[in-house]
């Protein structure tokens, strides 16, 4: 315990990065020892004085999620942290209680719906593969779908290489149908995409989509309309796996897609990592920001004003 009036003690940052990654951070993120040290110090001071933030992680790796995503613009990193804490509470059914022992979440991961690949891509980025056909909408709800994304992503965010190089997404939409969206409203989709854009401390670099059924093309169209221009420019649609292999090194893909390591092996390795992070993931729920009743009211009014879910979407 720290006595009243005594300065708080924080961890001392110790880099886990190799020389090449540090150079990438310098060139792309404007990061060096002095910039990093000053930014961490000012960020912590701001959190201490923030009237609404009652409890928040202040360790270096957590704060660097936001600083690196925003290229060490402290005001932008601070704004993103506020949004991150706020959406975790506003949409607690999506972002809280990320328990690696939750049988439903683990069943979805076991089935291979969302898997971080073992090898990075040619740019050094972490690669996330999602396979829509491996998610069973008759067994699980859209909330389960978002929660799986949350637990997977949160388990990766403290990795410094991921923070510097960012992420590549491979989305195999074979098997995607309207039933996947049966419990999602347009507002849900919009809110999820806004959370990804504005509140997730991640450098989203590329999204590759393959095997997109014509029946859900309108949902992609709607989703793209919500994204900002930078995000839109990073979405690439390929007709099949062969086209994908021209954009991504085939060796990093699962065997089922022409790579070297089977999907089941990748899932097993990832589950070991998840188990190791069990306590860290649960501890995220300790963070707390005070949200005004007016803010809650406005959010609820916006949600209740939505006309219908994807069940009612007409598809040509």
């Amino acid at each position: 315990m720290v006595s009243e009036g005594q300065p708080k003690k924080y961890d001392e940052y110790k880099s886990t990065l190799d020389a090449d990654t540090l150079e990438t951070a310098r060139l792309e993120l404007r990061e060096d020892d002095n910039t990093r040290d000053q930014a961490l110090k000012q960020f912590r001071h701001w959190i201490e004085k923030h009237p609404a933030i009652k409890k928040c992680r202040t360790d270096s790796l957590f704060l660097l999620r936001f600083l690196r995503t925003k290229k060490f613009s402290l005001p932008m990193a601070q704004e993103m942290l506020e949004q991150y804490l706020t959406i975790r509470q506003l949409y607690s059914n999506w972002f809280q209680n990320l328990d690696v022992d939750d049988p439903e979440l683990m069943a979805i991961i076991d089935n291979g719906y969302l898997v971080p690949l073992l090898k990075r891509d040619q740019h050094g980025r972490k690669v996330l593969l999602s396979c829509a056909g491996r998610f069973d909408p008759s067994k699980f709800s859209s909330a389960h779908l978002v929660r799986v994304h949350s637990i997977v992503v949160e388990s990766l965010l403290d990795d410094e290489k991921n923070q510097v190089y960012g992420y590549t997404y491979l989305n195999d939409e074979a098997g995607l149908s309207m039933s996947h969206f049966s419990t999602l409203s347009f507002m849900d989709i919009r809110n999820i995409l806004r959370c990804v854009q504005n509140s997730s401390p991640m450098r989203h670099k590329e999204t590759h989509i393959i095997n997109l059924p014509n029946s859900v093309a309108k949902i992609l169209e709607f989703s793209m309309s919500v994204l900002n221009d930078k995000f839109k420019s990073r979405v690439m649609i390929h007709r099949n796996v062969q086209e994908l292999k021209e954009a991504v090194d085939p060796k990093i893909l699962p065997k089922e897609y022409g790579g070297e390591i089977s999907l089941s092996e990748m899932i097993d390795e990832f589950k070991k990592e998840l188990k190791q992070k069990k306590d860290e993931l649960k501890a995220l729920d300790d963070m707390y920001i005070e949200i005004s009743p007016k803010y809650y009211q406005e959010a609820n009014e916006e949600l209740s004003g939505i006309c219908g879910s994807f069940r009612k979407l007409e598809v040509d």
Side-chain angles (χ1 to χ4, degrees):
M1 286 291 288
V2 178
S3 303
E4 196 67 39
Q6 274 191 295
K8 288 186 180 178
K9 287 189 177 177
Y10 297 106
D11 70 297
E12 186 183 340
Y13 173 75
K14 289 185 173 64
S15 176
T16 60
L17 298 173
D18 56 45
D20 286 345
T21 310
L22 284 169
E23 180 64 4
T24 299
R26 186 183 71 80
L27 293 172
E28 292 189 18
L29 310 180
R30 304 191 284 267
E31 177 177 353
D32 57 35
D33 290 346
N34 184 55
T35 301
R36 187 193 314 110
D37 291 347
Q38 288 302 311
L40 285 170
K41 185 178 177 182
Q42 291 169 32
F43 209 165
R44 286 165 174 154
H45 181 72
W46 175 83
I47 292 169
E48 276 180 39
K49 302 294 180 190
H50 198 292
I53 296 176
K54 302 304 179 186
K55 190 164 185 187
C56 182
R57 278 178 59 180
T58 53
D59 57 286
S60 301
L61 285 181
F62 179 74
L63 298 183
L64 284 168
R65 297 178 176 190
F66 302 90
L67 289 166
R68 284 173 170 150
T69 299
K70 292 302 182 183
K71 300 185 178 181
F72 283 84
S73 164
L74 189 58
M76 291 174 75
Q78 290 166 343
E79 183 184 6
M80 176 170 264
L81 175 61
E82 286 176 324
Q83 291 171 335
Y84 169 87
L85 294 174
T86 300
I87 64 110
R88 280 186 55 81
Q89 278 166 230
L90 277 181
Y91 309 113
S92 57
N93 62 322
W94 291 346
F95 300 112
Q96 289 197 14
N97 193 28
L98 304 176
D99 186 354
V100 302
D101 293 325
D102 183 319
E104 292 175 316
L105 295 185
M106 286 307 107
I108 296 167
I109 287 171
D110 277 333
N111 212 37
Y113 165 64
L114 186 64
V115 188
L117 304 190
L118 296 183
K119 294 180 182 175
R120 295 176 181 273
D121 70 7
Q122 61 267 42
H123 307 290
R125 301 169 192 154
K126 192 67 180 175
V127 183
L128 284 172
L129 170 68
S130 73
C131 307
R134 292 175 175 268
F135 181 88
D136 186 346
S138 68
K139 288 184 184 175
F140 306 106
S141 70
S142 55
H144 287 115
L145 185 145
V146 182
R147 286 168 59 71
V148 166
H149 280 269
S150 296
I151 196 170
V152 170
V153 162
E154 283 288 358
S155 73
L156 302 172
L157 290 181
D158 283 348
D159 184 301
E160 288 202 87
K161 275 199 167 185
N162 297 347
Q163 291 178 358
V164 172
Y165 288 115
Y167 297 82
T168 292
Y169 308 99
L170 311 180
N171 299 344
D172 182 356
E173 307 297 11
L176 184 66
S177 67
M178 292 307 296
S179 56
H180 283 84
F181 303 97
S182 60
T183 58
L184 277 181
S185 70
F186 283 98
M187 183 62 82
D188 286 334
I189 283 285
R190 196 196 72 169
N191 286 337
I192 291 164
L193 292 172
R194 283 187 174 175
C195 289
V196 170
Q197 273 190 158
N198 305 325
S199 316
S200 300
M202 307 171 73
R203 304 190 70 211
H204 308 288
K205 302 300 288 184
E206 286 181 7
T207 297
H208 298 271
I209 297 172
I210 60 169
N211 300 325
L212 184 71
N214 290 333
S215 59
V216 293
K218 279 198 171 181
I219 294 174
L220 177 68
E221 198 179 306
F222 171 75
S223 301
M224 291 289 282
S225 73
V226 177
L227 296 174
N228 62 35
D229 290 340
K230 185 168 85 170
F231 267 70
K232 284 179 191 172
S233 70
R234 294 178 176 181
V235 176
M236 284 147 271
I237 299 174
H238 310 283
R239 283 172 299 180
N240 49 43
V241 175
Q242 203 51 49
E243 276 191 15
L244 175 69
K245 287 179 183 176
E246 292 169 21
V248 178
D249 182 359
K251 286 183 181 176
I252 71 169
L253 298 173
K255 250 184 194 165
E256 292 82 345
Y257 290 81
E260 299 171 344
I261 301 169
S262 71
L263 195 61
S264 61
E265 285 178 78
M266 293 187 180
I267 293 165
D268 288 343
E269 283 302 310
F270 176 58
K271 283 177 70 181
K272 286 178 198 169
E273 286 182 39
L274 269 184
K275 288 282 184 191
Q276 290 170 359
K277 291 179 178 163
K278 177 181 176 175
D279 294 339
E280 290 170 42
L281 290 165
K282 291 283 280 181
L284 291 169
D285 294 352
D286 295 339
M287 295 190 290
Y288 185 74
I289 188 169
E290 216 165 58
I291 305 169
S292 70
K294 186 183 173 198
Y295 195 106
Y296 272 112
Q297 187 183 346
E298 286 171 357
N300 286 332
E301 282 172 2
E302 195 179 15
L303 285 168
S304 63
I306 301 311
C307 49
S309 71
F310 281 105
R311 239 180 233 144
K312 297 170 188 169
L313 181 68
E314 288 181 15
V315 182
D316 291 335

